[in-house]
Amino acid sequence: MTDLTSMTIAEAKAGLASKSFTSLELTDAHLAAIEAARSLNAFVLETPDQARAMARAIDAKIAKGEGGPLAGIPLGIKDLFATKDVRTTACSKILGNFVPPYESTVTSQLWRDGAVMLGKLNNDEFAMGSSNETSCFGPVVNPWRREGSNTTLVPGGSSGGSASAVAALLCMGATATDTGGSIRQPAAFTATVGVKPTYGRCSRWGIVAFASSLDQAGPIARTTRDAAILMRSMAGHDPKDTTSVDRAVPDYEAAIGKSVKGMKIGIPKEYRLDGMPAEIEKLWAEGAAWLKAAGAELVEVSLPHTKYALPAYYIVAPAEASSNLARYDGVRYGLRVPGRSIGELYENTRAEGFGDEVRRRVMIGTYVLSAGYYDAYYLRAQKVRTLIKKDFEDCFAKGVSAILTPATPSAAFGVGEKGGADPVEMYLNDIFTVTVNMAGLPGIAVPAGKDAQGLPLGLQLIGRPFDEETLFSLGEVVEQAAGRFTPQRWW
Ligand code: GLN
């Protein structure tokens, strides 16, 4: 039998439909791959019994010709998504052994469409990070290594488990979330495709909140087509999330292979950073050339407030986080560390339950929201946010269909290499991605090449609100030109 784990979702769908294999066989192959890859630390909880039960049930449906669009496809779920009766921790000690009595909307839509859950995936604690080193379950390992080296590399974050598992063929696709880059940056570090949808496209209900005005769920997959297939099931209006938008969900897969002839693609001059590695410059120019060859017109555009995006993000996101994380008090969820008074119980629980990065964010957030500083920091950051959004609006008003940028300023780095002495060093990873969250726009990261050490690099395409389809069409052009990249198996 061909290796069942190296297929794309599109190929597996065809194989299941033609009865070349069953979902149970497909699921078993992935469960075996997960077991053999525990050294990657991508899964924080494997759910083999549940996976097999779901696969059997869906096989019965497929036999009756009833399977949905994801019938029998085994997926991994980021541990930020609440899964009914299955432990959900956001990879924080403070949630302990929390078992939600409900299912997130996004995951329930995946199960509605026939997908199979393999388990829960590692992430940075409360999705705060760019390397998946802040998880209470320990760092995730990137299946990619530098040529001729066995240095352990990070997969990016916060959806590091999702990216690592998809790249290492442990699941066919995964859910992820993106507040400032957490889908696109790990996708770029692992040669996978990651989509951060327009704010409001996917329901946030049942996803552990980090920064509610920025958080969005999206897929990580091995091809643009697979990401489009997953997106269709994940997207949609949900009355339980008032920020989700009531718009029909298009058939995203139909956008794959559509001509991009005549599209105007913006190249923002402010993204050309001083000291940017030559390899990234080259990749960006190559991407532009591929789109041009496919008939698109490249135009230079200006997003003048870009330089304020990262500082403004690191005010808005911690402010919202400090408010969202107030609910973890030792009374309602997970960990409880007793004290002599209720106040002491809160303090003890929060001191014990939150990791360093989360505490840093809570402190920054509380500070910028405090009476004396609210106007100087929070309010000003919100104004900057409006200006960032306006930059994009001005650009799209000139007929630009999408904007092409690098996804990250570097390839994957070593575990422990960044942010130890200065957290800003870690924050800089998101320099090209945070603007998109600040403006609520959709973005896709597509593998586009490798650096001199053989590590994958990605390009980002930023679209108009609710125009993910254009991103899928353009992403496919990049994928066709660049080819696909798979890590050498060493684990
Ligand atoms: N790396 C960014 C942060 O730490 C973004 C994280 C995310 O998108 N969840 O806040």
Side-chain angles (χ1 to χ4, degrees), residues 21 40 184 294 431:
F21 45 83
L40 298 179
R184 293 158 288 159
I431 193 107

Side-chain angles (χ1 to χ4, degrees), residues 181-192:
S182 278
I183 292 178
R184 293 158 288 159
Q185 184 252 13
F189 277 15
T190 56
T192 54

Side-chain angles (χ1 to χ4, degrees), residues 78 80 124-131 134 157-159 177-186 196 210-211 214-216 310 313-314 317-318 357 361 426-430 433-434 437:
K78 185 177 184 179
L80 223 63
D124 275 301
E125 184 179 4
F126 285 109
M128 296 173 188
S130 305
S131 62
T134 72
S158 65
S159 311
T177 61
D178 191 313
T179 303
S182 278
I183 292 178
R184 293 158 288 159
Q185 184 252 13
K196 182 273 186 206
F210 164 9
L214 301 159
D215 298 343
Q216 240 327 263
L310 205 62
Y313 170 86
Y314 274 98
E357 185 58 31
R361 307 282 178 116
M426 187 65 78
Y427 299 169
L428 283 167
N429 267 285
D430 298 314
T433 49
V434 287
N437 302 72

Side-chain angles (χ1 to χ4, degrees), residues 63-272:
K64 286 192 272 175
E66 282 175 6
L70 287 174
I73 302 298
L75 302 178
I77 302 300
K78 185 177 184 179
D79 206 27
L80 223 63
F81 291 77
T83 40
K84 189 171 186 296
D85 301 332
V86 175
R87 191 191 70 187
T88 300
T89 69
C91 297
S92 179
K93 225 173 126 183
I94 209 154
L95 271 160
N97 285 317
F98 174 61
V99 177
Y102 53 85
E103 186 79 28
S104 84
T105 299
V106 163
T107 49
S108 68
Q109 290 174 181
L110 294 170
W111 317 142
R112 171 201 69 197
D113 287 352
V116 168
M117 178 165 85
L118 293 166
K120 303 298 292 285
L121 293 161
N122 209 338
N123 51 250
D124 275 301
E125 184 179 4
F126 285 109
M128 296 173 188
S130 305
S131 62
N132 215 131
E133 291 170 290
T134 72
S135 163
C136 74
F137 296 102
V140 175
V141 173
N142 192 330
W144 286 88
R145 283 175 165 180
R146 296 179 183 123
E147 263 156 29
S149 148
N150 51 18
T151 303
T152 303
L153 303 180
V154 304
S158 65
S159 311
S162 306
S164 175
V166 171
L169 313 182
L170 312 185
C171 54
M172 306 204 93
T175 64
T177 61
D178 191 313
T179 303
S182 278
I183 292 178
R184 293 158 288 159
Q185 184 252 13
F189 277 15
T190 56
T192 54
V193 177
V195 182
K196 182 273 186 206
T198 311
Y199 185 77
R201 183 67 290 191
C202 294
S203 170
R204 290 182 297 106
W205 195 81
I207 300 173
V208 177
F210 164 9
S212 303
S213 77
L214 301 159
D215 298 343
Q216 240 327 263
I220 291 186
R222 285 195 289 271
T223 65
T224 308
R225 181 183 294 276
D226 283 4
I229 294 172
L230 292 173
M231 254 295 285
R232 192 181 186 186
S233 294
M234 293 172 73
H237 177 236
D238 176 11
K240 289 192 290 225
D241 171 6
T242 50
T243 64
S244 91
V245 174
D246 193 359
R247 269 174 94 114
V249 178
D251 177 1
Y252 294 116
E253 197 184 353
I256 303 289
K258 262 210 181 139
S259 168
V260 302
K261 233 192 195 109
M263 277 187 195
K264 253 195 202 180
I265 307 299
I267 305 286
K269 60 172 191 247
E270 292 80 6
Y271 281 54
R272 197 156 282 126

